[in-house]
Amino acid sequence: MITMLTLTKIKTDHPDYSFVEELLHLSFPEAERRDDDAQREQTDRNPQFNCHLITDETEKGTVRVGLITTWNLNGFTYVEHLATSPDVRNQGYGRKVMEELKQHFPGLIVLEVEKPETDLSIRRIGFYRRCGFSLCEKEYIQPAYRKGGEELPLFLMYTGTDTLDPQFETVRDNIHREVYGVVR
């Protein structure tokens, strides 16, 4: 089966934005995403933020595969959310999406992962490693998305450089400031 994945940058007026929003709700607990109004505001008005619909052109027509939200930050791309639709899970799309991500955003790409403390988080880290990402084990805290919300201890994973260590603080501070509105 030959796939033709496409990442299409969309705004809230796109006919498939409701698919993206529903998939965000399904894939990420409330503590791991901003509220809908704030997400729509970022999507429509923030030039650093990109909401991408992932589709595949198959013999049967266009398949909605998933979503990727990214930030164009100071010299790197930060992947905030990435999810595939339950309708296409376990069909090999995950690896294809990661390949398309690296082609679409050449250079340094950074994403957050839960620490390897559960079977799921260990499998997720293994998946990203198989897709060419490396784990940075420096202490990283994801700020709360909502006022009164909890911070999460996570790790960063990256591709596009041999090591993140020399620029870790700069990358972390950029993510905190631009994505979460936190200045430390």
Side-chain angles (χ1 to χ4, degrees):
M1 175 171 93
I2 297 174
T3 61
M4 298 286 299
L5 287 186
T6 303
L7 272 59
T8 304
K9 184 177 175 183
I10 65 170
K11 301 288 185 186
T12 59
D13 61 356
H14 189 279
D16 286 322
Y17 186 78
S18 61
F19 164 81
V20 167
E21 196 168 86
E22 289 169 20
L23 187 55
L24 271 170
H25 289 199
L26 180 67
S27 303
F28 298 95
E30 192 173 274
E32 295 179 16
R33 58 181 165 79
R34 60 186 58 80
D35 67 41
D36 292 344
D37 288 340
Q39 185 73 17
R40 292 175 192 140
E41 180 75 18
Q42 294 295 344
T43 300
D44 285 341
R45 293 188 177 78
N46 189 333
Q48 290 180 286
F49 181 81
N50 301 291
C51 178
H52 290 92
L53 172 68
I54 307 166
T55 56
D56 184 14
E57 294 302 322
T58 70
E59 296 120 14
K60 297 177 183 178
T62 302
V63 175
R64 296 182 303 188
V65 173
L67 71 93
I68 297 177
T69 60
T70 62
W71 290 78
N72 300 324
L73 299 179
N74 190 19
F76 67 99
T77 299
Y78 167 66
V79 177
E80 184 175 22
H81 293 108
L82 186 153
T84 55
S85 170
D87 296 339
V88 300
R89 288 189 186 144
N90 300 315
Q91 295 181 27
Y93 277 112
R95 180 174 292 280
K96 293 172 187 150
V97 166
M98 297 307 291
E99 290 169 9
E100 185 66 28
L101 174 72
K102 291 191 292 186
Q103 287 180 10
H104 201 85
F105 299 101
L108 178 60
I109 301 171
V110 177
L111 53 85
E112 299 167 338
V113 293
E114 294 171 344
K115 291 187 174 189
E117 297 168 344
T118 67
D119 287 342
L120 180 60
S121 60
I122 291 167
R123 284 196 316 270
R124 187 172 290 129
I125 289 168
F127 168 74
Y128 287 130
R129 280 189 164 139
R130 289 188 301 278
C131 291
F133 281 72
S134 299
L135 184 67
C136 178
E137 294 188 44
K138 289 183 174 272
E139 288 299 315
Y140 175 84
I141 301 293
Q142 178 195 62
Y145 269 104
R146 293 165 166 64
K147 189 173 183 170
E150 292 186 28
E151 297 178 331
L152 296 173
L154 303 173
F155 283 141
L156 294 179
M157 293 193 77
Y158 61 92
T159 189
T161 187
D162 291 336
T163 180
L164 192 63
D165 290 354
Q167 60 202 67
F168 174 80
E169 286 81 11
T170 301
V171 166
R172 177 202 60 210
D173 293 349
N174 265 280
I175 294 169
H176 284 184
R177 182 179 54 254
E178 301 301 329
V179 176
Y180 299 102
V182 173
V183 179
R184 298 193 189 250

